[in-house]
Amino acid sequence: MAKVHVVANQKGGVGKTTVTVNLAAVTANVLGGDHGDSPVLVVSTDPQASSVWWADRVGTENLPFDFNQFDGDPGQLSKLRDYEQWKHIFVDTPGSLEDEHILTAALTGADDVIVPMLPEPLAFDPTARTIAHVLEPRGIPYRVVINAWDPRDGEADLEETRKYIAAKGWPCANVVVRRYKVHTRAAADGRVVTQYPKNRTSMEAREDFFRLALELGYGGR
Ligand SMILES: Nc1ncnc2c1ncn2[C@@H]1O[C@H](COP(=O)(O)OP(=O)(O)OP(=O)(O)O)[C@@H](O)[C@H]1O
Ligand SMILES: [Mg+2]
């Protein structure tokens, strides 16, 4: 049986797609296999397929994991874990309130949920809504991941974000994904972290996703 990890936050642009494809990439890198024969599958449920940045630009056959664009009956999402050929399935979901039915359909088949969130104290409310109205009532285990923190901005916003999360009682990953231009550029180039050039900055950027996958326990067979 596959473990199904749904990546969700109804706030747009917090890094759901970035976190989905890069966690999938590092997990696939550790577990072995390649596109077409990978233990890792990414499912995009975003109804605007054009927002699946890399799929449009490079074609999914260049991805180091298997990929499906979901565009059918949302009921099928509840059966993802029955697939024997994948060990981990990462489900990217839309960042909008209008598409809540797609998110809730994805959650029916979820083992756990990853909630990326930006360290921007003025933008917390939509995340709180997703957790309080969508995740907690369903009793699905979830974990917040702080994404796109820029160390050059200092620790203040990060600390405030951590305090807010602690006050809410939300489980939160210890690993923070830093903001790197190479991630933003990679989205435009259709590249995932394991395909980054081997320079120091790219390796540092990549390391955050390996550390996060290690914390979340995705590396075991
Ligand atoms: N850690 C990061 N460092 C640099 N850029 C990032 C990082 N995370 C995300 N981005 C950039 O921020 C933008 C939004 O990220 P992404 O598309 O992953 O968010 P999303 O939550 O999937 O958005 P939507 O709700 O529209 O689907 C993209 O341009 C992406 O490249
Ligand atoms: Mg997205």
Side-chain angles (χ1 to χ4, degrees), residues 2-170:
K3 283 270 181 232
V4 180
H5 317 288
V6 170
V7 182
N9 189 333
Q10 288 167 297
K11 177 162 173 55
V14 296
K16 291 178 292 297
T17 303
T18 302
V19 166
T20 303
V21 297
N22 289 321
L23 275 181
V26 299
T27 303
N29 180 271
V30 167
L31 295 184
D34 208 344
H35 189 88
D37 174 35
S38 176
V40 176
L41 172 71
V42 167
V43 177
S44 167
T45 63
D46 203 317
Q48 284 142 321
S50 62
S51 69
V52 184
W53 35 263
W54 23 264
D56 272 5
R57 292 179 176 95
V58 285
T60 56
E61 68 280 359
N62 293 317
L63 295 169
F65 43 73
D66 294 336
F67 174 81
N68 269 317
Q69 174 67 41
F70 178 80
D71 53 10
D73 166 18
Q76 291 171 12
L77 290 170
S78 64
K79 304 192 192 87
L80 284 176
R81 70 163 68 87
D82 297 340
Y83 287 104
E84 297 286 342
Q85 66 262 53
W86 294 294
K87 170 124 172 118
H88 292 282
I89 301 180
F90 295 90
V91 184
D92 190 16
T93 63
S96 72
L97 291 172
E98 301 81 69
D99 294 313
E100 186 163 305
H101 61 288
I102 298 175
L103 170 58
T104 56
L107 292 175
T108 60
D111 288 295
D112 50 59
V113 181
I114 298 159
V115 185
M117 162 176 192
L118 302 176
E120 289 173 2
L122 294 175
F124 290 162
D125 284 358
T127 303
R129 186 198 176 279
T130 297
I131 291 174
H133 290 261
V134 184
L135 302 184
E136 286 182 336
R138 288 174 171 77
I140 304 171
Y142 67 89
R143 203 184 295 228
V144 173
V145 173
I146 300 172
N147 175 48
W149 174 57
D150 192 335
R152 291 169 305 183
D153 291 345
E155 304 271 335
D157 281 353
L158 180 62
E159 285 311 309
E160 199 173 328
T161 304
R162 283 205 193 275
K163 263 193 220 142
Y164 176 89
I165 291 168
K168 288 280 190 185
W170 298 340

